[in-house]
Amino acid sequence: MAEEHYLELSENPVQFEHASSVNNVFFDEANKQVFAVRSGGATGVVVKGPDDKSSVAFRMDDKGEVKCIKFSIGNKILAVQRTSKSVDFINFIPDYPHTEFSQECKTKNASILGFCWTNWNEVVFITDQGIEFYQVFPDKRSLKLLKSQSINVNWYQYCPETAVILLSTTVQGNILQPFAFRNGTMSKMSKFEIELPVVPKPAKLSLSERDIAMATIYGQLYVMYLKHHSRTANSPSAEVVLYHLSREGSCKKSHVLKLNTTGKFALNIVDNLVVVHHQSSQTSLIFDIKLKEPDCALNIHQPVLPARSIHPYRIPLSGPAAVPSQPPVPCQLYSSSWSVFQPDIIISASEGYLWYLQVKLPPTVNLLQDKGKLMDFLLRRRECKMVILSVCSQILEVGEKGSLPVVATVFDKLNQVYKDYLEAEQSYTQAMESGPSRGSAAQKRPVRTQAVIDQSDMYTHVLSSFTERKGVSHKFIIAVLMEYIRSLNQFQITVQHYLYELVIKTLVQHNLFYMLHQFLQYHVLSDSKPLACLLLSLESTYPPAHQLSLDMLKRLSTANDEIIEVLLSKQQVLGALRFIRSVGGHDNASARKFLDAAQQTGDQMLFYTVFRSFQQRNQRLRGSPAFNPGEHCEEHVAHFKQLFGEQALMKPSTV
């Protein structure tokens, strides 16, 4: 069997001038932009972003080597660091002065390590002696210091998604101090210590910037530490330790990902999965921190799937040298020239490509044998619906008795997500109807993700085709249908009538009428008008279905009209009359409808009885046996006279 690659590089990468033809290549994680800088005379800059809007080319004065270059959000202001003492700014806002302006760091003798934009007009300088938070005034071409903090800094990392800067402090660098930025404010979060591996004395380890990454996983911010154990340690394999960084409260060590090997690693986050690339084996591992490992005190995780390489990628040849018949060149995966950025970016500076790493779900299906675990894994992925439905079909293809517990587990997992969504939707609707309450935040409408597999999805893509499959025992088919209905009932989800219809059609198809009778008798199939009508249509195949249908309609007290229609269509006119009296609807009943039905039977005495019954009703209600003109019974009165003579008509009673 061919190796199944569950990771791939995006089909349409961002292309930029590769490192051999420019002086420097920079990547800005906030805007996902690559800056290719060529100096000499004037400095030429070509910026490539995820789309054409974020791509731009320009020239600026050559004032020395560019150490760092980034746009503020929306390409409004460009910041360029050329020295360790200051950062230069250029307006890119239309109608604003285009002249450069500069800002030196305030701390004496400090060196600027780098800078981060936290808003379109707010920037943070990180120096070796602390951080300085500025507001930029592009119209005045000046900056105002909002806040600063003195602290010895070895290196820093920035998470643009949460606007959190992480500073490495102390000699060993393993005391990390985070700062959060929001709407012009800077807040100091709780500092925490990264546990370094134990090494024999007198050797001392320090925390390297390469071994730390920050990313959001399942909506929570984590600091990921790539822990390389020393050869003398009991567990020589490396691991990734996740520290949960909350805005309030302390930072806690929360997950450990076991890599079961050593070497050079790089980290990405794709679809809330932690992807660990291993350079020497040229493979990647994926971890899902929400998949709990049994019998583990701390959240220790093994890879979800076996290690696999990223799907081979071919670079199409372009430019004047390209010949149409020339095949694309294979890209060297896991190259030493690759740079990996959070959350899901891989850059090859030597080839001039920026890719987004992607997860392919279909190959995971055959790699994860435990179907319950597979379902937990798939339900948390973005593009999961069709893969989940195909897994359901695949499980049912087996058609073994032993697979029924697996089927039940899968149905329950799907319906748990379905129920959660229905409850959230109901809660939102109630909140909207009752109006906004004081002090409570406006409720957001729940987002229907692809993980919500409803009854129509299951019916259309799985169950209806399953019931028609050849070679599967009817007992297994019915067991599966009833298992799905049981699961829906367990989660108190109203079962749609088309699922019951599927059960009934399957039972009838296999002449299992005794089972149908039992299902109805013991209310395994819930009463509904469509179901009652389906039962009526089965009368020619199974005569008792008629009575079962009527019984169901009677239980549905709102179905009186349907019952009368059914009885009249069967020419059971007296039965319909008795029924309408029993439910107290005789006074408002349409005389014409009953007289039409009685006349169509050709039974004169039946017509007489029904006609007389309505005359008596009229006498009781209106003091006269005559029909009102609005009842349109003239032809029936004429028919009665023709059959029995005028003297047979009831006379108005006199008191």
Side-chain angles (χ1 to χ4, degrees):
M1 192 177 77
E3 190 175 47
E4 290 171 300
H5 308 275
Y6 47 76
L7 290 168
E8 64 182 356
L9 301 174
S10 51
E11 266 182 47
N12 301 310
V14 175
Q15 283 182 271
F16 57 91
E17 290 185 78
H18 48 77
S20 59
S21 63
V22 294
N23 298 76
N24 253 322
V25 174
F26 300 94
F27 179 63
D28 172 15
E29 290 182 64
N31 292 317
K32 311 280 188 282
Q33 290 171 320
V34 180
F35 289 74
V37 179
R38 184 189 278 111
S39 44
T43 304
V45 182
V46 178
V47 186
K48 288 293 181 81
D51 51 44
D52 292 338
K53 279 183 191 172
S54 54
S55 301
V56 65
F58 56 88
R59 287 183 173 281
M60 54 188 189
D61 296 338
D62 193 346
K63 295 183 178 177
E65 186 194 345
V66 173
K67 292 178 181 287
C68 185
I69 181 167
K70 292 174 192 174
F71 268 117
S72 73
I73 295 151
N75 289 8
K76 288 188 166 66
I77 307 165
L78 180 74
V80 186
Q81 185 192 346
R82 296 184 177 98
T83 73
S84 60
K85 297 295 175 190
S86 66
V87 177
D88 302 325
F89 297 87
I90 307 170
N91 284 328
F92 272 72
I93 304 168
D95 306 326
Y96 273 59
H98 206 65
T99 333
E100 279 192 26
F101 54 103
S102 189
Q103 177 66 50
E104 284 193 5
C105 66
K106 298 283 187 189
T107 315
K108 277 185 181 177
N109 305 322
S111 292
I112 298 174
L113 302 176
F115 63 88
C116 302
W117 287 103
T118 58
N119 205 333
W120 79 268
N121 65 341
E122 289 166 9
V123 69
V124 182
F125 291 3
I126 301 97
T127 74
D128 56 359
Q129 293 180 34
I131 56 174
E132 301 172 4
F133 182 34
Y134 292 94
Q135 185 175 358
V136 184
F137 296 96
D139 51 343
K140 296 174 183 172
R141 295 173 45 245
S142 64
L143 282 80
K144 175 190 173 187
L145 182 67
L146 298 174
K147 199 170 183 182
S148 63
Q149 176 86 39
S150 292
I151 183 170
N152 286 333
V153 181
N154 304 308
W155 47 262
Y156 73 96
Q157 289 212 354
Y158 179 52
C159 176
E161 202 178 343
T162 53
V164 170
I165 291 176
L166 194 64
L167 306 179
S168 159
T169 69
T170 69
V171 177
Q172 283 185 285
N174 64 327
I175 305 291
L176 300 182
Q177 175 63 65
F179 287 88
F181 298 84
R182 187 185 286 170
N183 303 330
T185 62
M186 176 177 103
S187 47
K188 192 176 182 180
M189 297 163 71
S190 299
K191 67 180 177 184
F192 62 100
E193 182 178 354
I194 297 281
E195 292 171 31
L196 296 173
V198 178
V199 289
K201 289 179 180 177
K204 271 195 174 180
L205 277 180
S206 61
L207 183 64
S208 163
E209 182 181 357
R210 285 195 311 272
D211 294 333
I212 291 288
M214 268 198 298
T216 302
I217 310 169
Y218 291 116
Q220 300 294 317
L221 180 60
Y222 289 91
V223 172
M224 302 184 286
Y225 166 45
L226 198 47
K227 190 173 187 179
H228 304 274
H229 287 283
S230 64
R231 292 179 187 279
T232 53
N234 292 334
S235 64
S237 296
E239 57 192 30
V240 178
V241 184
L242 266 58
Y243 292 83
H244 179 220
L245 196 53
S246 57
R247 284 190 180 267
E248 285 84 32
S250 57
C251 179
K252 291 189 173 69
K253 178 178 169 179
S254 57
H255 299 271
V256 176
L257 317 181
K258 293 287 186 184
L259 304 184
N260 306 318
T261 186
T262 57
K264 268 190 172 180
F265 301 96
L267 301 171
N268 274 133
I269 304 295
V270 184
D271 205 359
N272 290 313
L273 295 166
V274 181
V275 180
V276 184
H277 307 291
H278 185 227
Q279 194 178 14
S280 57
S281 68
Q282 300 203 343
T283 58
S284 301
L285 294 166
I286 59 172
F287 295 85
D288 185 346
I289 61 169
K290 282 211 173 174
L291 277 184
K292 296 280 188 290
E293 291 291 330
D295 312 320
C296 276
L298 180 77
N299 289 326
I300 296 173
H301 302 267
Q302 292 294 337
V304 177
L305 302 168
R308 291 287 185 268
S309 69
I310 295 168
H311 195 281
Y313 186 88
R314 293 183 177 277
I315 295 173
L317 289 170
S318 58
V323 179
S325 59
Q326 247 179 318
V329 181
C331 166
Q332 191 196 337
L333 300 175
Y334 303 92
S335 158
S336 56
S337 73
W338 275 18
S339 301
V340 172
F341 295 93
Q342 300 311 319
D344 55 356
I345 285 165
I346 294 173
I347 291 178
S348 172
S350 62
E351 290 160 328
Y353 279 94
L354 177 152
W355 293 281
Y356 290 94
L357 188 65
Q358 297 166 341
V359 174
K360 288 197 298 181
L361 293 181
T364 66
V365 172
N366 297 323
L367 291 169
L368 199 51
Q369 296 309 311
D370 180 337
K371 296 305 174 200
K373 193 174 179 182
L374 172 65
M375 214 37 82
D376 288 337
F377 173 77
L378 291 174
L379 282 166
R380 297 194 184 100
R381 309 286 75 85
R382 276 193 300 265
E383 305 291 323
C384 64
K385 177 166 280 186
M386 295 319 293
V387 183
I388 287 172
L389 292 167
S390 76
V391 170
C392 292
S393 295
Q394 192 184 24
I395 295 168
L396 298 181
E397 265 171 30
V398 183
E400 295 167 4
K401 285 179 186 172
S403 66
L404 207 55
V406 177
V407 171
T409 302
V410 167
F411 286 163
D412 285 349
K413 287 181 184 294
L414 296 182
N415 288 329
Q416 177 68 66
V417 177
Y418 182 21
K419 174 67 174 175
D420 291 345
Y421 171 73
L422 291 175
E423 283 184 343
E425 187 69 44
Q426 188 182 6
S427 156
Y428 172 78
T429 307
Q430 286 171 350
M432 289 301 101
E433 285 169 359
S434 60
S437 57
R438 237 181 238 171
S440 71
Q443 204 169 347
K444 284 184 181 175
R445 185 174 197 134
V447 177
R448 182 173 181 144
T449 66
Q450 286 208 10
V452 178
I453 309 285
D454 64 19
Q455 296 172 63
S456 90
D457 293 325
M458 282 299 289
Y459 176 83
T460 307
H461 298 283
V462 180
L463 298 175
S464 57
S465 56
F466 168 63
T467 58
E468 290 160 17
R469 194 172 294 147
K470 300 285 184 283
V472 183
S473 78
H474 59 262
K475 284 184 180 175
F476 183 67
I477 290 173
I478 289 156
V480 166
L481 293 175
M482 296 316 295
E483 197 54 60
Y484 186 59
I485 288 168
R486 174 216 50 86
S487 179
L488 290 168
N489 285 327
Q490 183 179 313
F491 289 98
Q492 296 171 321
I493 299 167
T494 307
V495 182
Q496 296 297 320
H497 64 83
Y498 47 76
L499 290 172
Y500 289 137
E501 286 174 18
L502 198 56
V503 173
I504 291 173
K505 283 174 182 170
T506 307
L507 292 169
V508 170
Q509 198 179 339
H510 297 285
N511 295 317
L512 299 169
F513 296 112
Y514 69 94
M515 200 180 274
L516 170 60
H517 212 112
Q518 283 183 318
F519 281 176
L520 292 165
Q521 197 175 351
Y522 295 109
H523 306 295
V524 175
L525 307 176
S526 298
D527 297 344
S528 73
K529 290 181 189 179
L531 208 56
C533 293
L534 175 65
L535 286 171
L536 273 178
S537 69
L538 297 173
E539 190 184 0
S540 56
T541 321
Y542 182 55
H546 174 69
Q547 192 54 47
L548 289 168
S549 165
L550 281 184
D551 293 344
M552 184 179 285
L553 287 166
K554 279 179 187 171
R555 290 194 296 272
L556 293 163
S557 53
T558 56
N560 295 341
D561 292 343
E562 281 87 346
I563 296 174
I564 290 158
E565 292 296 339
V566 167
L567 291 169
L568 292 178
S569 69
K570 302 287 176 189
Q571 298 196 333
Q572 295 183 18
V573 186
L574 288 179
L577 208 52
R578 278 196 295 274
F579 174 76
I580 203 163
R581 279 185 180 141
S582 72
V583 295
H586 187 232
D587 290 358
N588 301 315
S590 162
R592 182 184 173 182
K593 184 190 285 186
F594 281 82
L595 291 169
D596 273 343
Q599 193 170 332
Q600 282 165 16
T601 64
D603 183 335
Q604 294 183 4
M605 286 318 295
L606 175 65
F607 183 76
Y608 181 91
T609 308
V610 173
F611 190 90
R612 182 50 58 92
S613 160
F614 279 100
Q615 277 198 311
Q616 288 168 343
R617 180 199 72 170
N618 295 344
Q619 175 69 43
R620 178 168 53 78
L621 292 176
R622 298 195 288 266
S624 165
F627 292 96
N628 282 341
E631 290 182 276
H632 305 294
C633 293
E634 293 80 10
E635 63 176 277
H636 302 107
V637 173
H639 184 64
F640 186 89
K641 286 179 186 175
Q642 190 186 335
L643 291 177
F644 308 110
E646 193 161 341
Q647 69 283 3
L649 286 169
M650 251 181 87
K651 302 290 184 286
S653 59
T654 52
V655 180

